[in-house]
Amino acid sequence: MKQNDLILQTVTKVAAFVILLFAVAIFLGGHYSPGGGFVGGLMTSAAIVLLLLAFDIKTVTGILPIDYKLMIGSGLFISSLTVAGGLVFGVPLMTHVYQYIDLPLLGHISLHTAVLFDLGVYLVVVGVTMTIIQTIGESE
Amino acid sequence: MSLLHWAVLSPFLLALIVPILYKLFRQIHTGWFVLILPILLFTYFSSFISLTKRGDIITERAAWIPSLGIHVDFYVDGLGLLFALLITGIGSLVVLYSVFYLSKEKEKLNQFYVFLLLFMGAMLGVVLSDNLIVLYSFWEFTSLSSFLLIGYWNERERSRYGAQKSLLITVFGGLSLLGGIILLAIMGNTFSIRELIAQSGELMDHPLFTPALLLVLLGAFTKSAQFPFHIWLPDAMEAPTPVSAYLHSATMVKAGIYLVARLSPVFAESGIWFWLVSIAGLITLFWGSFSAIKQTDLKGILAFSTISQLGLIMSLLGLGAAALHYESLGENIYLAATVAAVFHLINHATFKGSLFMVAGIIDHETGTRDIRKLGGLMQLMPITFTVAVIGAFSMAGLPPFNGFLSKEMFLASMVDVLELNIFNMETWGTLFPVLAWVASVFTFIYSMIVVLKPFTGKLQLNLLDKKPHEAPIGMLISPIILASLVIIFGIFPNLLSSSIIEPAVAGIQPSLVGPDFQVHIAFWHGFQPELWMTVGIIAFGIILYKTFPKWQKIHQWMPERLSLNALYDNGLRGLERSASSVMKFLMTGSIRTYLLSIFLFFILSLGFTLYWKDAFKLDTGNLAPIGLYEWVLAAITVIGSIAILFARSRLTSIIILGAVGYTISLFFVLLRAPDLALTQLVIETISVSLFLLCFFHLPLMASRKEERMTFRLNNALISIGVGVMVTLIALSAHSNKLFDSISSYYLENAYKEAGGKNVVNVILVDFRGLDTMFEITVLSIAALGIFAMIKLRLTGGKDKS
């Protein structure tokens, strides 16, 4: 069945980028405003799902040749490293460190190890959602 | 983290790199890279010898979960160091041997060395931990890595069977050990072994003392293959021979011995400990040696011989406990049992390690380990034969090898039992030396079988898969080193006494061993009873070996189906059968049934609890005012929910369900929870698209008219019940304020402690970060599960990759 998805596809091309950028923004700002790894990850998956709906699985895997199972693994790995990192410095597990610095253009920002942990969460969430959706979608 | 921590951690770190090395340098055997680490570690741990010799104890701490008193405390004393040296020393030799044993073209070397390194690290962790929880974690890690190693050739049915058996039995023991550890912690209010030892006197009178003792011993016995848990060890011989040499003779099976030795100061004062440890050890010694002689597989003989030797060491540790009851004696003869245990531990690692490697060489060169096919290899493999003779004679307890000395000390300790005047030893005491002597005769016989059957007699080339010749020199280095140690320790037994044995004994019995404690092992110790026993063993052994075929039938008096193995197999089969019948009853394959039972359980259990605890309360005092928006949203939600019931197609239901979800997220917006609203919105979007994807695969919806009225009534009842229950709980939860809300704590501390202004996110990544960690782990497992189920089903159960 051939359908004419021209409008959907054109809108998607723009919207997916906006959603992806927004996802990254709420992921990074998570510690200070609503957001974080979990929502950011879900938002990113939503953008990819939108791509999947507008195009088909083959095209999307052509654009984003990502092994989502690997993504799950690396996410878990990053998170557990951050959790265990405290041991190396002789402080309790999951102790976070943060620091405020001033950078040109970006201004007064903070560097926080929590972001590393959140990055792991982000990767796992994207990986999990996309693995499930892709597996079910492919099984036709 | 100190250098010591890094030393224990280093095998794990190397295990991460090994697959990369394997990929990058395909032409170099991965074993060469791995070999460096155990050698470095061995030299590192050797540097501690001078410290522990002086009686120093090195402790290093890293915090893990300080709030629960769990620290990664490592400490090196004589006992821990002895084991650490064994693990790294034998480890180096085994890795060297494996380089020649495992072909780099045919084997999955990356997996092999990752498993081996994991095991090495875990084992080091076990013997150096002071914290019992840390010890337990490493302990289970040894079970897991040995499971992987035994099942290394996982395409073989026997390997999988052996791996599963060892895992089931050792993890069962590990769980009971965990129970024992928790009881100990309850009694002593600490997880630290040293602190427990310090208060051992008070622990004795605690009502939990005996349960803790039994649970800990169960863990130690399963790990060290004591009767009747020994049945996993022979099946573990399906592992590659380097693994058998390493795990099943030198290290892992000795973890149980280590645990008994380490916790001796805590428990040994109790009579139960003395009886259980020494009797279990003796029975294992006897049964292992008795079963060894009926085996036809060379590695099978060695497996049973390991079982019996472990029993020997265990019984000595048990006897050593008697020493605690004779503190007044000037010259405490029962301390000698502990010395003998430590000495035999070292000796066993040397001679059994070399014998396993010999068995591996024979297997490698002839293609079989069946002693009925082997024979006459002496001319073809003179060096291997020499090593085998040294190892086997030492195992049999013949002079001038080290096994002779520790065997004599063992027999002497068994004779000394007769002088015990505690625990009613007058009647049962004679059993000790008698059992020990009989077992030693069997030990002599199987040692002779190991060396004489393959190497002497007639060479039957037609029965062998390959034409045998001497092993490559690289493969011979490790067994030759071990065999030389057998001779060196035999002729100069005191080489080790002050540097290794004394500190180790001091670690086992700190209360008895003073600074002037000295071990002196004499090669010639006069015409003592033990010497005559040895002479008897040799004489009887030779006679029985010569007449072996005549009395071999004795092994057949016990029918096969009454054996412990059959018990295990039948038990497992029965468990599987009952589990699958329960599953067949529960898992109907219809999600409706699952939901029905889940909801029914939910209603009944919560409803009963609410009624039983009289927990329902309605407090309208502090309800928030309901505005126009809330009314509208609530109305939309209710209308949407009702509409789902009357939807004629799945598609409509899914879309209405999504709409209800969006309305809920608007509620979150109204109630000023932007994080929740955001999450709910995205989740709703994704789950609707997921539904739509699955929707494609679902069978056609049964037409509503066909469904029977009672069925629909049941559904209605259950859904109304769930609704009512949730409402009741929500109202009661709001009205019952038993504690102050924790949210004020988070609000106050989120910025102060964690430097974040978004409290929800701070809770997720910081305050309750561990929960998040486990949550994403669960998520990952679920996703991989879905992947596996769908992909495997599509390929008809076969793995496509």
Side-chain angles (χ1 to χ4, degrees), chain B residues 491-557:
Chain B
I491 299 177
F492 309 105
N494 288 308
L495 208 61
L496 297 174
S497 24
S498 69
S499 52
I500 303 279
I501 297 177
E502 281 168 22
V505 174
I508 301 174
Q509 305 202 306
S511 59
L512 297 179
V513 175
D516 51 343
F517 170 68
Q518 270 195 337
V519 171
H520 183 75
I521 303 166
F523 188 79
W524 174 251
H525 37 265
F527 291 102
Q528 297 288 329
E530 58 264 27
L531 194 69
W532 295 118
M533 284 169 93
T534 305
V535 171
I537 288 167
I538 297 172
F540 262 87
I542 292 174
I543 295 169
L544 285 177
Y545 179 75
K546 288 281 179 201
T547 56
F548 184 54
K550 288 198 183 111
W551 55 272
Q552 202 181 8
K553 290 195 184 67
I554 197 176
H555 280 114
Q556 285 154 8
W557 65 269

Side-chain angles (χ1 to χ4, degrees), chain B residues 527-775:
Chain B
F527 291 102
Q528 297 288 329
E530 58 264 27
L531 194 69
W532 295 118
M533 284 169 93
T534 305
V535 171
I537 288 167
I538 297 172
F540 262 87
I542 292 174
I543 295 169
L544 285 177
Y545 179 75
K546 288 281 179 201
T547 56
F548 184 54
K550 288 198 183 111
W551 55 272
Q552 202 181 8
K553 290 195 184 67
I554 197 176
H555 280 114
Q556 285 154 8
W557 65 269
M558 204 165 80
E560 197 59 31
R561 59 202 154 77
L562 275 182
S563 71
L564 284 163
N565 261 324
L567 187 74
Y568 166 85
D569 288 339
N570 288 332
L572 206 62
R573 226 171 288 139
L575 191 72
E576 259 171 31
R577 214 174 298 134
S578 50
S580 79
S581 60
V582 169
M583 281 300 137
K584 271 199 196 110
F585 175 69
L586 287 177
M587 301 274 156
T588 53
S590 152
I591 196 163
R592 237 177 214 162
T593 333
Y594 302 159
L595 287 178
L596 276 185
S597 37
I598 292 171
F599 285 141
L600 210 60
F601 181 75
F602 169 83
I603 298 170
L604 291 179
S605 62
L606 285 178
F608 176 72
T609 318
L610 266 186
Y611 170 76
W612 184 40
K613 296 274 178 197
D614 201 14
F616 180 70
K617 209 165 111 186
L618 189 58
D619 178 12
T620 47
N622 52 356
L623 292 181
I626 307 175
L628 177 64
Y629 294 125
E630 281 93 344
W631 279 117
V632 173
L633 286 179
I636 296 175
T637 319
V638 171
I639 294 170
S641 313
I642 293 172
I644 296 176
L645 293 178
F646 294 98
R648 289 271 157 215
S649 77
R650 278 213 182 90
L651 193 63
T652 334
S653 315
I654 293 169
I655 290 172
I656 301 174
L657 199 63
V660 172
Y662 281 130
T663 331
I664 301 287
S665 68
L666 284 179
F667 264 117
F668 289 134
V669 175
L670 278 185
L671 299 172
R672 280 176 294 162
D675 268 282
L676 285 181
L678 199 58
T679 316
Q680 173 86 10
L681 271 176
V682 193
I683 286 266
E684 215 51 62
T685 312
I686 293 181
S687 56
V688 166
S689 47
L690 247 181
F691 266 131
L692 290 174
L693 276 171
C694 295
F695 172 73
F696 190 81
H697 299 285
L698 290 176
L700 283 176
M701 214 166 166
S703 125
R704 305 232 161 189
K705 277 178 197 152
E706 284 168 23
E707 285 169 0
R708 283 196 319 275
M709 201 55 201
T710 45
F711 176 80
R712 297 182 66 177
L713 208 66
N714 278 342
N715 279 1
L717 267 179
I718 286 178
S719 45
I720 290 169
V722 171
V724 170
M725 198 51 63
V726 172
T727 318
L728 287 182
I729 288 170
L731 290 176
S732 326
H734 181 76
S735 313
N736 279 328
K737 287 259 156 64
L738 295 178
F739 307 101
D740 285 335
S741 165
I742 197 174
S743 47
S744 53
Y745 169 82
Y746 285 138
L747 286 174
E748 276 166 31
N749 290 295
Y751 191 68
K752 229 181 343 185
E753 303 254 328
K757 285 177 185 152
N758 177 5
V759 182
V760 178
N761 191 268
V762 170
I763 292 174
L764 280 179
V765 299
D766 202 324
F767 286 125
R768 308 203 58 89
L770 213 57
D771 290 7
T772 313
M773 184 68 225
F774 288 128
E775 238 162 65

